[in-house]
Amino acid sequence: MAADTSVVKPVEAPPLSPFNLKSKLAGTPGKPKYSVTVKNGKGEDVVLGDPKATRGLVALMDLHAVNGGAASHWGGPAAFAEIMAAIHGVMFASTGRPWHEAFNFVNDAGHTENGVYALRANYGFDGMTFESLKGFRSLTSKLTGHGESHLNPEGVLISNGPLGSGLPQAQGLAIGDKIAKRDRVTICTVSDGASMEGEAKEAFAAIPGLAAKDRVNPFVLVISDNDTKLSGRITKDSFSMQRSFQAMGSLGWNVITVPHGHDLQAVYLAIEKGIEQAKANPNYPVCLWVKTIKGYGVKSTEENAAGGHGFPLANGEKIVEFVSEIFGGQPPEEFANWSKALRMDWEQKEAAKKAKAASVPAAAPSVKKDKVQTGLAKGAVRAAQEGLPVYSVSSDVQGSTGISLFQKSFPDRYIEVGIAEANMISTAAGLAKTGFIPIVDTFGQFGVTKGNLPLTMAALSQAPVIALFSHIGFQDAADGASHQATTYLAATSPIPHTTVISPSCSDEAEAFMYEAIKRYGADRQAGKDGHNYIFFVGRENYPLSWVENAKYEWGKAQVLQEGRDVVLIACGVLLNKAIEAGKQLAGRGIAATVINNPFINEVDLDTIGAAVKSCGRVVTIEDHQIIGGMGAQVSHALSRAGIAHKIKSLGIPGEFGQSAYVAEDLYKLHGLTTEKMVEAAVGLVKG
């Protein structure tokens, strides 16, 4: 590459004018139902939504989601309650025009979105009521796990969830407003965890840098700093963020520190001051550095190592006491009644369980189940015990991905780099170059989006990594579309020198992880470049194996049932659908071959090709977009080999997902079911 020295004459064009896109955001609401009064900078009374009401509503709505089978989050919104109350109080006080014409609001602390819903329900924003909150994270509600603008355009300007992604989009909003000469302030809230992401750090530098060149409208960044992330304390687990925040002034931010982030009066005055200063000098964006306590409002979560990141109550047994503590022992009547109703519901369910247990004969022993990722960790432990230099590099979610089993087994053989997936993979590549076998782990969505270029560069640098990416497809149901990896196979399969594996049970995962590490080690010791090995798994429990005495051969598909009429192929989390479909087809007189196809981008044509040649009919099913998925790769491989076939692929039809209590709700919505697989097979056989 060389410097661009070309000369181009300026071209005449009409004045630059953006499209006049009509905002879908709901208008300015009235006063909050539960309120508190603070003083503004002029000493006048200002009415704000009561942070205690926000916390109480978050607790109650979270329990409804938990009862439905979904995970929820309490710690983050509890920490942000005063910040959000102050910001919304200022925004909703806009006069003469809708609030969203005066402000852009972007929440880049995705796990706090339920706190925003709760606060806005208190205002009656967009017609929301407390009843609306009861559907949080369900398939029928637009109040998704993380803010989703495609489902809730009335309340969400920028979709959030992947930490650090909202801030650079907020940067674009402020630049766009500057170009369009709009009088609007952009406010973006982030957590200290989000601040660890590379995207966030790029925006930390770019926003003040571009603002100094008069390219950015007034910008206010609000950081909630409580030294806490999903799995524990940031400083203890990875490294302190204090020096990063101390450097914000050097980057060009006008830093306002708020040492007591739960002093609503102090927080309000700081927000008001920050907005005033940003408007007075747009070339000097404002950063409010607010010290908070994650899980604030309930002593047990305040003291918890992770700040009560998820919702700490598994059922309604203790919800009455939980809500009572939030309000200092005197909750408003409707909060008390709501919590009592949830408690009574739990009591009734418990009584029904006991009655059923007493009246029903003892059931046959259940099939032993476990998470698939447990097998991956076991395979890594086994390889390390044999002397292979396995080393784990994590980015906060090792408890969810299952690699924590390895880390606890070998406390001196892992490092956590913070909430920074791209940095995690690149760090692992460096370890590979120094003679180790690095294993990285995160959720599938973040691994294949934020980690795609680092994965490519690892292979290109002859520094391959082994990746454990969990919660793929719709398995992360409750967190919504932003967390649902539905392009993971398409994103990684074409990377050179990369093997993509989708195991379907714990035993299979253990066998293939162990073999991957052994192969990696053998290649490196032989002076070969080696391969990336990327494992994709779900989050739910499955049988340890699907057939007795199963054999897991590297690079081979596994025939679970033989037939002559149609071939059913599945992988990973939906293999059970194909197995059941094979049984149901047999009941209809249709003999199906059922194949487990774990090696996605290295199709076993010996096994699959032979089965397809006998009948020419194939049905595939996967928790992935149809385009570029397992079925597409199988069909392409068959076609290249000259094997004629008719195929029906069941997958996600080019749509984003959404929040649901459990993955099965989304599988039914998108036709990823045993019944649909049977229907497709019958259609091919009789067609």
Side-chain angles (χ1 to χ4, degrees):
M1 292 185 291
D4 183 1
T5 58
S6 61
V7 178
V8 178
K9 291 182 179 181
V11 176
E12 292 292 328
L16 179 63
S17 179
F19 294 119
N20 185 22
L21 303 178
K22 183 176 175 58
S23 176
K24 297 179 181 179
L25 290 165
T28 307
K31 297 295 183 182
K33 183 176 183 180
Y34 293 93
S35 64
V36 292
T37 302
V38 299
K39 299 287 186 182
N40 63 16
K42 298 178 181 179
E44 301 165 336
D45 285 346
V46 176
V47 176
L48 304 177
D50 186 352
K52 290 182 180 178
T54 296
R55 291 187 179 95
L57 290 170
V58 167
L60 292 163
M61 66 193 286
D62 276 8
L63 185 54
H64 279 277
V66 168
N67 285 341
S72 288
H73 298 97
W74 153 259
F80 263 97
E82 283 77 15
I83 292 171
M84 293 300 184
I87 290 173
H88 281 75
V90 173
M91 293 193 306
F92 289 165
S94 302
T95 57
R97 54 180 175 162
W99 69 275
H100 51 75
E101 291 184 8
F103 295 95
N104 291 313
F105 173 71
V106 175
N107 176 29
D108 199 6
H111 286 164
T112 70
E113 196 72 11
N114 50 344
V116 176
Y117 300 149
L119 172 63
R120 292 183 175 182
N122 189 20
Y123 274 95
F125 176 87
D126 188 30
M128 280 201 295
T129 65
F130 292 176
E131 191 69 24
S132 306
L133 301 177
K134 295 179 180 180
F136 173 56
R137 290 198 163 201
S138 72
L139 194 63
T140 58
S141 174
K142 65 180 181 179
L143 304 182
T144 51
H146 297 270
E148 304 285 3
S149 57
H150 71 297
L151 294 175
N152 185 13
E154 300 85 1
V156 179
L157 177 60
I158 295 292
S159 295
N160 65 48
L163 296 177
S165 298
L167 177 56
Q169 291 192 51
Q171 172 185 317
L173 290 170
I175 292 171
D177 281 342
K178 182 70 177 182
I179 297 169
K181 298 180 173 60
R182 298 190 182 106
D183 174 25
R184 184 155 52 192
V185 177
T186 296
I187 302 175
C188 182
T189 54
V190 301
S191 62
D192 45 0
S195 300
M196 304 182 86
E197 289 281 11
E199 296 164 277
K201 289 174 179 173
E202 291 171 14
F204 283 173
I207 292 169
L210 292 169
K213 298 178 71 173
D214 201 30
R215 305 297 298 272
V216 182
N217 249 29
F219 198 103
V220 177
L221 171 67
V222 185
I223 300 173
S224 171
D225 174 19
N226 46 55
D227 194 34
T228 314
K229 53 187 179 57
L230 185 152
S231 60
R233 299 297 176 186
I234 292 174
T235 300
K236 180 178 180 294
D237 294 346
S238 48
F239 56 86
S240 173
M241 287 295 292
Q242 298 311 296
R243 290 184 179 181
S244 295
F245 296 146
Q246 290 163 4
M248 295 296 277
S250 299
L251 289 174
W253 292 90
N254 172 12
V255 180
I256 299 173
T257 58
V258 185
H260 303 293
H262 302 294
D263 179 342
L264 184 58
Q265 177 65 71
V267 172
Y268 180 83
L269 289 175
I271 296 288
E272 184 182 55
K273 178 182 178 182
I275 292 171
E276 289 173 354
Q277 292 187 358
K279 292 173 73 173
N281 186 1
N283 303 129
Y284 199 24
V286 172
C287 170
L288 285 116
W289 180 5
V290 186
K291 289 285 189 176
T292 59
I293 299 171
K294 197 167 182 181
Y296 185 81
V298 174
K299 184 178 180 181
S300 61
T301 54
E302 290 178 21
E303 296 175 348
N304 178 267
H309 180 85
F311 190 53
L313 304 184
N315 52 52
E317 181 180 8
K318 298 180 180 179
I319 186 63
V320 173
E321 295 82 1
F322 197 88
V323 171
S324 179
E325 185 175 350
I326 291 169
F327 287 97
Q330 295 182 325
E333 184 178 3
E334 65 178 317
F335 284 80
N337 291 340
W338 189 349
S339 60
K340 288 175 183 176
L342 286 167
R343 163 78 187 203
M344 185 177 296
D345 180 61
W346 172 79
E347 290 175 345
Q348 291 173 347
K349 288 179 180 177
E350 286 297 298
K353 285 181 186 177
K354 291 178 181 178
K356 183 177 181 180
S359 61
V360 177
S366 59
V367 175
K368 189 174 182 180
K369 295 184 177 182
D370 202 350
K371 294 185 183 301
V372 182
Q373 51 260 53
T374 301
L376 295 175
K378 287 180 178 178
V381 169
R382 181 178 161 198
Q385 286 178 308
E386 294 185 6
L388 287 161
V390 181
Y391 199 91
S392 168
V393 187
S394 287
S395 58
D396 185 41
V397 293
Q398 52 265 47
S400 297
T401 62
I403 200 64
S404 60
L405 171 63
F406 175 88
Q407 295 177 355
K408 290 177 180 179
S409 300
F410 304 103
D412 59 342
R413 300 189 187 189
Y414 80 95
I415 191 170
E416 187 189 305
V417 298
I419 305 173
E421 295 82 7
N423 182 263
M424 170 187 68
I425 296 170
S426 294
T427 298
L431 282 163
K433 273 292 189 183
T434 56
F436 296 95
I437 302 177
I439 298 179
V440 299
D441 68 287
T442 186
F443 289 2
Q445 177 72 324
F446 308 143
V448 303
T449 53
K450 300 190 177 191
N452 196 276
L453 178 58
L455 286 168
T456 301
M457 295 307 296
L460 183 60
S461 300
Q462 302 86 48
V465 303
I466 297 176
L468 189 175
F469 294 154
S470 68
H471 294 58
I472 51 83
F474 289 146
Q475 287 276 294
D476 196 1
D479 281 329
S482 66
H483 279 48
Q484 291 163 357
T486 64
T487 61
Y488 56 100
L489 301 177
T492 55
S493 291
I495 300 175
H497 310 299
T498 297
T499 301
V500 176
I501 308 163
S502 180
S504 61
C505 62
S506 182
D507 285 356
E508 181 182 25
E510 180 179 354
F512 288 148
M513 174 60 84
Y514 173 75
E515 182 65 21
I517 295 171
K518 295 279 284 186
R519 285 172 171 265
Y520 186 115
D523 281 343
R524 302 299 271 177
Q525 288 180 310
K528 298 179 181 178
D529 294 343
H531 269 222
N532 286 334
Y533 296 109
I534 306 178
F535 290 88
F536 290 110
V537 297
R539 69 177 299 183
E540 297 178 353
N541 291 329
Y542 290 89
L544 297 183
S545 64
W546 295 104
V547 294
E548 290 186 12
N549 303 315
K551 293 182 179 180
Y552 304 106
E553 297 182 58
W554 186 264
K556 301 295 290 183
Q558 182 186 38
V559 177
L560 302 176
Q561 175 182 307
E562 293 188 2
R564 63 185 180 280
D565 298 321
V566 65
V567 179
L568 309 181
I569 305 175
C571 63
V573 299
L574 292 184
L575 179 61
N576 60 323
K577 309 287 187 186
I579 293 172
E580 182 59 31
K583 294 176 181 177
Q584 291 190 16
L585 286 168
R588 295 190 181 198
I590 296 174
T593 295
V594 179
I595 295 178
N596 171 26
N597 177 37
F599 290 87
I600 304 302
N601 63 342
E602 298 174 1
V603 178
D604 174 15
L605 280 173
D606 289 342
T607 302
I608 295 175
V612 174
K613 282 179 182 178
S614 67
C615 64
R617 307 181 190 95
V618 183
V619 180
T620 64
I621 188 169
E622 60 194 302
D623 193 359
H624 186 279
Q625 297 290 341
I626 293 173
I627 297 173
M630 180 271 292
Q633 293 185 52
V634 166
S635 185
H636 186 219
L638 291 171
S639 295
R640 289 184 67 191
I643 300 174
H645 63 285
K646 293 182 179 180
I647 187 168
K648 289 190 177 182
S649 293
L650 304 184
I652 304 166
E655 299 290 341
F656 286 112
Q658 64 187 89
S659 281
Y661 287 153
V662 292
E664 191 62 32
D665 292 342
L666 292 166
Y667 294 152
K668 291 177 181 178
L669 179 67
H670 292 278
L672 305 180
T673 63
T674 295
E675 291 71 26
K676 289 294 183 180
M677 199 169 197
V678 169
E679 182 181 311
V682 170
L684 283 177
V685 171
K686 295 185 177 180

